[in-house]
C-alpha cells in the first residue's frame, strides 16, 4: 500500500487529501444537525474558490518559472478601480472597461517580466517593488471606493448554473486553457525548462526571457480578472480590496499545497486548483463551525507545512528506491570494481549458423592442403 501511494502523482494525492477534508467536514457539520453538502453550502465553497483560483492560476505560471509575484493584491485593487470608474454605471461601457482593465494589468505584468529578465532582479524583489509603487499610487489618489458597476456586470459575481457560480465556471475554463498551454505548446515546455534549470535551458537553445515575461504577464492578467470579479461583487472599485484578502501569500500557499515546487520546473494547474479547493473547504468548515477567526491562519499554516513535508519525504524515498535498484559501482576506497556475474552478464546465446560453419570448415581444409603442398 505504501509503495502504491509513492507511485501516485502529486496531483492525485492533492485530490485524495481534498476528499479526506470533505469527509471530515461532512462528519463535523453533521454533529451540528446540518448538511455540509447542501446546495447553499456548496455554492459558498465554490464562490470562495473563484477569486483565489484566478490569482493562484497566474501565480502557478511564475512559480513554474522559478519566480514569484507579490504585486497581485495591488493589481487586483487597481483593476477593480479601473473597471468601476470606466463603467460608471453604464451597460455600454462594460466591454471597454473589461478590455482596458486587462490591457493595464498586462502592462504591469510586462514591467515585472522585464525587470526580472532584463535587469536580472529576482522576482521576489522585483514584484515587491512594483507592488509598493502601485500601493503608493492607490494610497495617494484614492481615499475610498470609486466608480459604479452596472447590474448587468454584477450578475457575473452573483448568478450561477444551479449551485455552481458563473465565476467558478469561468475560473475552471481559464484553468483548462492554461493547462493546455503548459502541456501542449512551446511556451509551456520552455517555461518548465527555464524553471527547472535555466543554464541547461540556455545551452539547449531555449530563449529564457520570453517564457518568464509571458508568465508574469499571465499572472497580472489573472489578478486583473480576480479584480473584475471583486468589483462585480462589491458594485464599486476599492483601493484595498486586494490587500485586505492577503491574496499574494494565499495564492503562493495554494500553489505549494497543490504540489508545485517553489523552486520551479515541476507542478500543474490542476494541482493548484485542488489546493485552492482545500483552502475553500477549510474556510467554509471553520465558518460553519464558528471557529475563532484567528485560528484560520494557524490551521492554514499547519496544512501547508504538513503538505510540503510529505512532498519532500516522498521525493527522498523515491530517490532512495531509484538508487537502490541501480547496479553496484566501484569501491572508491580500494579502487576495486565488482566482478561481473557471468550468468547474468554473459549476454544472450547466439544460435550457430550452419552455412557459416560449413564455410569455415572448407576454409580450414584449404589452408591445411596449402600447408601440406609447401612441405
Amino acid at each position: 500500500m505504501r509503495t502504491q501511494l509513492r507511485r501516485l502523482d502529486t496531483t492525485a494525492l492533492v485530490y485524495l487529501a481534498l476528499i479526506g477534508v470533505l469527509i471530515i467536514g461532512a462528519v463535523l457539520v453533521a454533529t451540528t444537525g446540518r448538511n455540509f453538502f447542501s446546495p447553499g453550502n456548496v455554492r459558498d465553497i465554490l464562490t470562495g474558490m473563484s477569486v483565489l483560483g484566478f490569482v493562484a492560476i497566474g501565480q502557478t505560471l511564475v512559480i513554474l518559472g522559478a519566480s514569484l509575484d507579490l504585486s497581485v493584491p495591488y493589481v487586483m485593487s487597481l483593476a477593480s478601480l479601473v473597471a468601476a470608474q470606466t463603467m460608471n454605471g453604464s451597460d455600454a461601457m462594460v466591454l471597454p472597461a473589461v478590455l482596458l482593465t486587462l490591457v493595464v494589468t498586462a502592462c504591469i505584468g510586462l514591467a515585472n517580466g522585464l525587470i526580472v529578465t532584463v535587469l536580472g532582479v529576482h522576482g521576489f524583489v522585483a514584484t515587491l517593488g512594483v507592488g509598493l509603487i502601485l500601493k503608493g499610487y492607490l494610497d495617494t489618489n484614492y481615499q475610498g471606493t470609486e466608480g459604479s458597476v452596472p447590474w448587468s456586470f454584477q450578475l457575473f459575481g452573483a448568478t450561477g448554473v444551479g449551485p455552481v457560480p458563473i465565476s467558478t465556471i469561468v475560473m475552471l475554463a481559464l484553468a483548462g486553457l492554461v493547462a493546455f498551454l503548459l502541456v501542449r505548446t512551446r511556451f509551456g515546455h520552455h517555461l518548465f525548462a527555464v524553471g527547472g534549470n535555466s543554464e541547461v535551458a540556455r545551452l539547449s537553445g531555449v530563449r529564457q526571457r520570453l517564457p518568464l515575461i509571458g508568465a508574469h504577464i499571465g499572472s497580472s492578467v489573472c489578478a486583473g480578472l480576480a479584480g473584475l470579479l471583486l468589483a462585480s461583487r462589491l458594485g464599486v472599485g476599492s483601493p484595498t480590496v486586494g490587500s485586505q484578502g492577503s491574496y499574494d501569500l494565499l495564492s503562493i500557499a495554494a500553489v505549494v499545497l497543490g504540489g508545485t515546487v517553489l523552486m520551479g520546473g515541476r507542478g500543474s494547474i490542476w494541482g493548484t486548483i485542488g489546493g485552492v479547493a482545500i483552502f475553500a473547504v477549510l474556510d467554509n468548515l471553520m465558518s460553519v463551525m464558528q471557529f475563532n477567526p484567528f485560528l484560520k491562519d494557524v490551521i492554514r499554516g499547519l496544512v501547508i507545512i504538513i503538505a510540503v513535508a510529505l512532498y519532500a519525504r516522498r521525493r527522498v524515498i523515491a530517490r532512495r528506491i531509484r538508487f537502490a535498484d541501480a547496479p553496484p559501482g566501484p569501491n572508491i576506497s580500494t579502487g576495486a570494481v565488482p566482478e561481473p556475474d557471468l550468468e547474468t552478464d554473459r549476454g544472450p546465446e547466439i544460435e550457430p549458423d550452419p552455412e557459416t560453419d560449413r564455410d569455415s570448415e572448407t576454409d580450414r581444409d584449404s589452408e591445411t592442403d596449402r600447408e601440406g603442398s609447401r612441405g
Side-chain angles (χ1 to χ4, degrees):
M1 182 65 180
R2 292 180 62 187
T3 304
Q4 292 177 350
L5 287 176
R6 291 169 191 161
R7 292 177 180 176
L8 283 175
D9 183 71
T10 302
T11 303
L13 287 177
V14 173
Y15 284 94
L16 285 177
L18 174 60
I19 293 173
V21 172
L22 287 171
I23 293 174
I24 294 172
V27 172
L28 291 177
V29 172
T31 59
T32 65
R34 286 186 274 182
N35 182 12
F36 187 70
F37 295 108
S38 64
N41 202 53
V42 171
R43 183 180 180 85
D44 289 342
I45 293 173
L46 295 177
T47 300
M49 286 181 58
S50 301
V51 177
L52 182 58
F54 279 121
V55 183
I57 290 170
Q59 196 72 254
T60 303
L61 291 175
V62 292
I63 291 180
L64 284 175
S67 185
L68 283 174
D69 192 350
L70 298 181
S71 65
V72 286
Y74 309 107
V75 174
M76 294 168 64
S77 299
L78 181 63
S80 72
L81 289 165
V82 171
Q85 287 182 306
T86 305
M87 294 178 190
N88 200 25
S90 173
D91 292 330
M93 294 301 295
V94 169
L95 182 59
V98 171
L99 294 178
L100 177 61
T101 301
L102 296 181
V103 169
V104 170
T105 55
C107 290
I108 296 173
L110 177 61
N112 284 332
L114 291 176
I115 294 172
V116 171
T117 57
V118 177
L119 300 182
V121 181
H122 191 276
F124 180 92
V125 178
T127 57
L128 177 62
V130 171
L132 291 176
I133 293 173
L134 294 176
K135 181 179 183 299
Y137 171 79
L138 294 173
D139 292 342
T140 303
N141 294 277
Y142 299 97
Q143 303 301 320
T145 58
E146 295 283 347
S148 175
V149 175
W151 175 247
S152 60
F153 188 70
Q154 292 184 36
L155 294 177
F156 172 53
T159 60
V161 180
V164 183
I166 292 178
S167 58
T168 304
I169 296 174
V170 175
M171 184 269 292
L172 293 176
L174 178 64
L177 175 62
V178 175
F180 176 82
L181 292 176
L182 289 176
V183 176
R184 298 293 183 181
T185 66
R186 181 180 298 178
F187 163 77
H189 297 161
H190 288 183
L191 183 62
F192 276 106
V194 171
N197 192 316
S198 60
E199 184 62 20
V200 172
R202 184 185 66 82
L203 295 175
S204 300
V206 175
R207 301 174 69 178
Q208 297 172 279
R209 293 182 178 179
L210 291 181
L212 272 180
I213 292 175
H216 277 283
I217 292 175
S219 177
S220 293
V221 169
C222 288
L225 291 172
L228 287 171
L229 176 56
L230 290 174
S232 72
R233 290 180 181 175
L234 296 174
V236 293
S238 171
T240 59
V241 67
S243 56
Q244 286 177 346
S246 300
Y247 288 106
D248 47 354
L249 300 181
L250 277 181
S251 62
I252 295 173
V255 172
V256 173
L257 181 60
T260 299
V261 179
L262 196 57
M263 300 303 294
R266 187 185 306 164
S268 70
I269 289 295
W270 296 118
T272 296
I273 297 301
V276 170
I278 290 175
F279 276 133
V281 172
L282 287 175
D283 287 349
N284 179 268
L285 175 62
M286 288 184 286
S287 297
V288 171
M289 299 297 294
Q290 297 181 351
F291 279 25
N292 187 326
F294 295 103
L295 286 178
K296 289 186 177 181
D297 291 331
V298 174
I299 295 176
R300 288 170 180 167
L302 289 175
V303 169
I304 295 169
I305 292 173
I306 293 172
V308 175
L310 290 176
Y311 295 152
R313 181 171 176 78
R314 288 182 73 244
R315 286 195 292 270
V316 170
I317 293 175
R319 190 179 298 114
R320 288 175 180 171
I321 294 175
R322 184 169 66 250
F323 283 109
D325 293 338
N331 191 325
I332 299 176
S333 60
T334 62
V337 178
E339 295 184 3
D341 185 355
L342 297 180
E343 293 297 326
T344 304
D345 299 338
R346 63 184 180 183
E349 295 184 359
I350 303 175
E351 294 291 334
D353 186 354
E355 295 296 329
T356 305
D357 292 345
R358 191 179 301 113
D359 293 340
S360 300
E361 292 177 0
T362 304
D363 293 341
R364 285 196 296 271
D365 293 341
S366 300
E367 186 67 25
T368 303
D369 293 339
R370 284 195 296 273
E371 290 294 332
S373 63
R374 289 196 193 99

